[in-house]
Amino acid sequence: MPLSQKAAHDFLNFVNASPSPFHAVHAVKRRLANAGFIELQERDAWSRHIKCGSKYFLTRNGSSIVAFAVGKKWKAGNPIAMIGAHTDSPCLRIKPVSKKQSEQFLQVGVETYGGGLWHTWFDRDLSIAGRAMVKEKDGTFVQQLIKLDNPILRVPTLAIHLDRQETFSFNKETQLFPIAGLVAAELNRTGKSPKPSKDENESEEPDEGPFHPLKTMTERHHPAVVELIAKEAGVTPEQLVDFEIILYDTQAACIGGINDELIFSARLDNLMMSYCSTVGLLSSLEDDAALEDESSIRLISLFDHEEIGSRTAQGADSNLLPAVIRRLSVSGKMDVDTATAYEQTLATSFLISADMAHSVHPNYPAKYESDHRPEMNKGVVIKVNANARYATNSPGIVMVQEMARRAGGSAEKGSDSAPGVPLQLFVVRNDSSCGSTIGPMLSAAMGARTLDLGNAQLSMHSIRETGGVDDVDHAIKLFDSFFQHFSNLEGKILVD
């Protein structure tokens, strides 16, 4: 198997194990821990823990993670080489009260998260994943990851014979609810009889027993769903206090194309960049002497909630990354005034905002600017926008070009593949809207030099997206080179 395909297959394992941001962070944590990274807690003081030549990570909300390796020559105020990506993707999320029933079907109430192509969620084999908060026997409340592998939900389309509409349109509030089964089958399972219908104004008898500020989980959700989640968490339904559960497509990501050159997968945006950032960092540290002559810190930050604007405690528009940098900027040898160490670190640092890019679409070529049509497997795409929807500028392009030029062969050590990583450029048409990333908000908040890039893909925000096999290896190699060569190049690109 070609080495580039090995990287792609490893990515498939990662994305298949990561149906939610919580699972993605858990998968990253395992890789970091296996590589010797030490977990930190935000609530603790770090001054006695951070040591030059060591590696650390921390999480926030279980859905965002920051990892960094401190060079042995790191001093307070020195620069940090950073890559930022995000762990979330558009999806359907189970509502706080989801129990629904219509025409003898059990249904689950869901709300849309992000800007998904929701028509692609119809007629898919769906299951559920996320996290549950459970009460332990000692009275503590802990998080448990939930991932059901078997399909239990489906959003059915209406037969063409009953509605011959030219374009497929639907109401997201009334026609996007998945079915979970039949009322009759659930009654047979539980051995219960159908409840007689009640007048809307007729009040129910209050239940005897302990007071519940909210309705119980089995009152808010179908008992069968609650039981499945509790079983996956290894607890009783009574121990299940709350959950954050999303729907996901059970069809696994796979290699496709007649020459095995494509990836068919959910959540390429943006788990591919989260994966490549993580593996690129780890690859740059494989040599035991990697940090011996390093004067910078190598850091990745994978945020939740990019798809809904990032304005949450665990989003890129929070204090997560600035707070970590502030702590790091005053660690190590104190050869500078600690009052300005944070600002000095930001002024010399560089952030790569890594988020997937648009490949040219063979059926819609007119939607793309004629001279900026990225192709899959042709290299990482630098994203440029004159109106600052992306943070890229010329000094940043110079920096990334030099990193790409210095990149070695395949991401796997010992490869005999050609050195260097190809790059492409992308801008939108003047008559087209342009998406954005975490790049502009982080560059504005921190004042650090920033560039936006990503791998090319088709069908962004669909339940099934398409990317290139070789581009996984391209991005890993580029990020590995960025971390290895940043300290040497940082002071050679002069502007201010």
Side-chain angles (χ1 to χ4, degrees):
M1 179 186 296
L3 294 176
S4 61
Q5 283 224 350
K6 287 186 177 180
H9 278 277
D10 189 49
F11 166 68
L12 296 184
N13 294 333
F14 175 81
V15 73
N16 286 331
S18 304
S20 78
F22 307 111
H23 290 83
V25 166
H26 179 70
V28 171
K29 282 178 61 176
R30 286 193 303 178
R31 288 172 182 261
L32 295 172
N34 289 339
F37 280 67
I38 301 167
E39 184 168 9
L40 300 172
Q41 301 293 331
E42 280 195 278
R43 64 180 63 195
D44 297 336
W46 291 359
S47 56
R48 290 176 294 178
H49 298 289
I50 303 296
K51 297 179 180 179
C52 293
S54 295
K55 303 170 288 188
Y56 307 90
F57 72 88
L58 66 138
T59 64
R60 182 181 284 187
N61 188 53
S63 59
S64 294
I65 186 166
V66 180
F68 54 90
V70 185
K72 286 195 173 181
K73 294 186 177 181
W74 164 263
K75 296 179 181 179
N78 274 17
I80 300 177
M82 301 177 283
I83 301 177
H86 66 89
T87 59
D88 62 321
S89 304
C91 63
L92 299 177
R93 174 170 156 164
I94 294 181
K95 289 184 175 182
V97 180
S98 72
K99 184 189 290 186
K100 292 185 178 297
Q101 180 177 319
S102 177
E103 302 300 330
Q104 297 304 302
F105 281 95
L106 298 177
Q107 291 185 284
V108 175
V110 295
E111 58 181 329
T112 57
Y113 173 91
L117 294 175
W118 303 120
H119 66 275
T120 65
W121 285 72
F122 282 75
D123 297 329
R124 303 295 301 183
D125 297 339
L126 305 175
S127 195
I128 56 177
R131 71 170 171 191
M133 297 301 298
V134 303
K135 186 176 183 179
E136 302 277 63
K137 293 180 179 179
D138 62 2
T140 58
F141 299 87
V142 298
Q143 168 185 295
Q144 295 286 351
L145 292 183
I146 304 298
K147 179 178 180 288
L148 300 187
D149 295 326
N150 57 307
I152 62 172
L153 302 171
R154 175 172 280 245
V155 185
T157 50
L158 182 64
I160 191 172
H161 316 81
L162 303 178
D163 187 8
R164 296 184 183 274
Q165 52 183 330
E166 287 285 329
T167 57
F168 180 45
S169 61
F170 56 93
N171 185 293
K172 289 186 289 185
E173 178 56 33
T174 61
Q175 296 167 335
L176 195 56
F177 293 146
I179 57 173
L182 300 172
V183 172
E186 179 63 4
L187 292 175
N188 289 336
R189 183 186 74 89
T190 59
K192 295 180 180 179
S193 301
K195 290 184 178 181
S197 59
K198 293 184 179 182
D199 185 89
E200 290 184 1
N201 297 319
E202 183 180 347
S203 60
E204 294 186 0
E205 293 291 329
D207 292 333
E208 294 183 4
F211 170 71
H212 296 283
L214 290 172
K215 288 183 178 180
T216 64
M217 294 297 282
T218 51
E219 291 176 302
R220 292 159 51 192
H221 308 280
H222 289 297
V225 174
V226 174
E227 291 168 14
L228 286 171
I229 293 172
K231 181 180 179 181
E232 180 70 10
V235 300
T236 65
E238 292 73 27
Q239 290 177 272
L240 194 61
V241 182
D242 201 62
F243 56 63
E244 295 170 66
I245 299 292
I246 65 170
L247 278 56
Y248 79 97
D249 188 355
T250 59
Q251 183 178 356
C254 62
I255 301 296
I258 58 175
N259 293 298
D260 292 336
E261 69 269 44
L262 302 176
I263 294 175
F264 303 146
S265 173
R267 302 178 298 280
L268 292 183
D269 177 21
N270 191 41
L271 289 188
M272 184 179 284
M273 290 294 95
S274 293
Y275 168 84
C276 293
S277 303
T278 303
V279 177
L281 173 63
L282 296 178
S283 179
S284 77
L285 300 170
E286 285 185 356
D287 191 323
D288 291 338
L291 297 175
E292 288 291 335
D293 198 39
E294 179 62 84
S295 59
S296 299
I297 289 177
R298 304 174 184 183
L299 179 149
I300 61 171
S301 188
L302 313 180
F303 300 96
D304 195 4
H305 291 161
E306 189 274 346
E307 297 293 356
I308 56 171
S310 297
R311 302 200 67 181
T312 64
Q314 53 271 21
D317 206 17
S318 71
N319 74 333
L320 175 56
L321 184 54
V324 170
I325 295 173
R326 184 176 293 279
R327 290 188 181 203
L328 295 178
S329 68
V330 293
S331 65
K333 296 179 181 179
M334 297 296 180
D335 290 353
V336 299
D337 183 353
T338 56
T340 62
Y342 176 63
E343 288 77 10
Q344 287 178 261
T345 290
L346 290 178
T348 53
S349 297
F350 193 93
L351 169 69
I352 290 178
S353 168
D355 204 345
M356 295 296 280
H358 299 291
S359 167
V360 64
H361 197 303
N363 296 338
Y364 302 91
K367 293 291 185 180
Y368 299 80
E369 206 279 334
S370 58
D371 296 315
H372 300 85
R373 297 184 173 185
E375 299 177 43
M376 284 186 277
N377 293 327
K378 292 294 183 69
V380 181
V381 181
I382 297 174
K383 300 187 282 188
V384 183
N385 183 259
N387 297 296
R389 299 291 289 171
Y390 305 130
T392 303
N393 61 11
S394 292
I397 292 176
V398 172
M399 171 77 77
V400 172
Q401 274 200 103
E402 291 304 309
M403 301 303 182
R405 197 188 318 277
R406 287 164 167 74
S410 171
E412 184 165 320
K413 301 302 185 192
S415 165
D416 58 0
S417 59
V421 171
L423 299 174
Q424 306 179 78
L425 291 167
F426 174 76
V427 298
V428 298
R429 291 169 54 99
N430 287 326
D431 56 1
S432 172
S433 60
C434 182
S436 192
T437 68
I438 62 174
M441 68 179 66
L442 284 173
S443 64
M446 301 190 302
R449 296 169 292 176
T450 304
L451 179 135
D452 272 289
L453 55 71
N455 284 345
Q457 71 162 93
L458 291 170
S459 306
M460 189 176 288
H461 291 193
S462 170
I463 198 170
R464 295 287 290 183
E465 301 171 324
T466 300
V469 164
D470 293 343
D471 287 331
V472 179
D473 195 56
H474 286 151
I476 293 172
K477 288 165 55 181
L478 179 64
F479 296 158
D480 181 350
S481 178
F482 171 65
F483 286 125
Q484 289 197 50
H485 300 295
F486 173 75
S487 293
N488 178 260
L489 282 173
E490 183 277 320
K492 296 181 180 180
I493 301 173
L494 306 176
V495 177
D496 298 317

